[in-house]
Amino acid sequence: EVQLLESGGGLVQPGGSLRLSCVASGSTFANYVLSWVRQPPGKGLEWISVIYGGGGGTYYADSVKGRFSVSRDNSRNTLYLQMNSLRAEDTALYYCAKDGWIQEAGRWGNWFAPWGQGTLVSVSS
Amino acid sequence: SDLTQDPAVSVALGQTVTITCQGDRLRNFYASWYQQKPGQAPVLVMFGKNNRPSGIPDRFSGSNSGNTASLTISGAQAEDEGDYYCNCRDNSGYFRLFGGGTRLTV
């Protein structure tokens, strides 16, 4: 069973940078599709980024595009999220999650499982 | 396009409750559903047409009609209390979107 463990969160000033890590168990990490999802305190979930296996194509939500960068080191079974130009509204619990998908009756559906336990990022002066 | 959920729903113990998620993208793609309890990471409870991950009780079921995905709990238990989120991909397959969440009170 795949397990995910995030780290790297902390307090950072507006305009600063932070890099989050997510270490995964499992022998086929290179094939995993992995997403970052965040949750501001007391609010809902927001998907922010995905990275694919193989060539590692990356995609971002508009709210973080141009400021955040996702990458992976398959030799270390580790996913990263480099966060630059941080803003107060980036304050959230950041989760990594493994993507999956299914096709049934001609329709596709995706899901996230498992999730890590999250790492808290606070942006404040 | 957005995914719309009712902010809060309540159900009496042992009764049936349906949580809905509406959005145009649901006409073409299945939603997935997540349960989140206070202080815990979300847990996948439903995906695809009507698939429960291992360990999810069979009182959880899913359905789809038009632009609406539904998660039904038949015989709700106290431990089902929590926040429920739907999620769906877009046409490109690259971007995902969460609904605003529904707080279920049992």
Side-chain angles (χ1 to χ4, degrees), chain A residues 35 47 97-99 110-115, chain B residues 34 44 87 96 98:
Chain A
S35 279
W47 173 85
K98 183 175 176 292
D99 271 54
N110 71 287
W111 71 84
F112 302 112
W115 297 60
Chain B
Y34 304 85
L44 176 69
N87 177 271
R96 295 94 162 98
F98 282 96

Side-chain angles (χ1 to χ4, degrees), chain A residues 18 29 42 85:
Chain A
L18 207 58
F29 177 83
S85 302

Side-chain angles (χ1 to χ4, degrees), chain A residues 17-49:
Chain A
S17 298
L18 207 58
R19 188 178 81 159
L20 307 183
S21 300
C22 171
V23 178
S25 63
S27 58
T28 57
F29 177 83
N31 297 330
Y32 294 170
V33 178
L34 296 160
S35 279
W36 287 99
V37 177
R38 68 183 181 182
Q39 185 171 35
K43 296 189 177 180
L45 301 172
E46 179 188 17
W47 173 85
I48 59 171
S49 180

Side-chain angles (χ1 to χ4, degrees), chain A residues 33 35 37 39 43-47 50 52 59-61 95 99 101-113 115-118, chain B residues 26-32 34 36 40-44 47-51 64 66 85 87-89 93-100:
Chain A
V33 178
S35 279
V37 177
Q39 185 171 35
K43 296 189 177 180
L45 301 172
E46 179 188 17
W47 173 85
V50 64
Y52 285 77
Y59 300 89
Y60 303 90
Y95 295 101
D99 271 54
W101 54 89
I102 191 171
Q103 186 181 31
E104 295 177 291
R107 294 168 66 172
W108 286 93
N110 71 287
W111 71 84
F112 302 112
W115 297 60
Q117 89 293 344
Chain B
L26 295 172
R27 296 184 183 278
N28 299 314
F29 304 106
Y30 294 117
S32 51
Y34 304 85
Q36 187 178 35
Q40 298 183 18
V43 173
L44 176 69
F47 65 98
K49 189 176 180 182
N50 181 19
N51 299 287
N64 303 271
Y85 296 92
N87 177 271
C88 188
R89 52 173 277 180
Y94 299 132
F95 300 93
R96 295 94 162 98
L97 180 69
F98 282 96

